[in-house]
Amino acid sequence: ILFRSTDAIESLSQVNTIAFDKTGTLTVGKPKLESFHVLAPFETSQLLAQLALIEQRSEHPLAVAIVEAAKEKQLRSSHEVVEFNAIAGLGVVGKLSNGDYIQIGSAKY
């Protein structure tokens, strides 16, 4: 369980039931990328490699899962990250050496 604020922890005093679904995070202790759907005109392998390149600079558990998924598939990008910025609570943004601008984050980002 990840807590983003002390208010979230304090609100647990009002909880009387917690339900968990078995997604693997309870037994493995870390998230894992299980599926990855890409819309045209993007190509799955290339996009995952680029996302992993950006996410290597993030310490977020979901970023680590993306990087691990790319490693498992032996995907690499020939580009470099030239700009990177983490926006607390929202996500990350980066620019690659080929000019691609990549934004990764929550739905509200």
Side-chain angles (χ1 to χ4, degrees), residues 3-61:
F3 295 102
R4 294 180 185 236
S5 70
T6 56
D7 291 339
I9 297 170
E10 290 175 10
S11 68
L12 284 175
S13 66
Q14 300 172 16
V15 172
N16 61 17
T17 305
I18 297 176
F20 295 98
D21 75 308
K22 180 124 174 40
T23 59
T25 55
L26 294 176
T27 56
V28 176
K30 64 181 182 178
K32 181 176 181 180
L33 182 65
E34 290 291 328
S35 64
F36 186 67
H37 303 282
V38 177
L39 301 176
F42 300 102
E43 194 276 320
T44 301
S45 296
Q46 179 184 8
L47 186 58
L48 183 56
Q50 288 182 331
L51 293 175
L53 190 61
I54 296 290
E55 292 287 29
Q56 285 177 347
R57 297 195 176 198
S58 175
E59 296 177 358
H60 193 282

Side-chain angles (χ1 to χ4, degrees), residues 55-74:
E55 292 287 29
Q56 285 177 347
R57 297 195 176 198
S58 175
E59 296 177 358
H60 193 282
L62 297 179
V64 173
I66 291 170
V67 171
E68 287 298 317
K71 282 182 185 177
E72 286 175 12
K73 296 179 185 292
Q74 298 180 345

Side-chain angles (χ1 to χ4, degrees), residues 85-104:
N85 189 24
I87 298 119
L90 294 177
V92 297
V93 63
K95 184 176 179 182
L96 300 181
S97 56
N98 68 344
D100 285 352
Y101 178 82
I102 297 178
Q103 184 175 342
I104 308 163

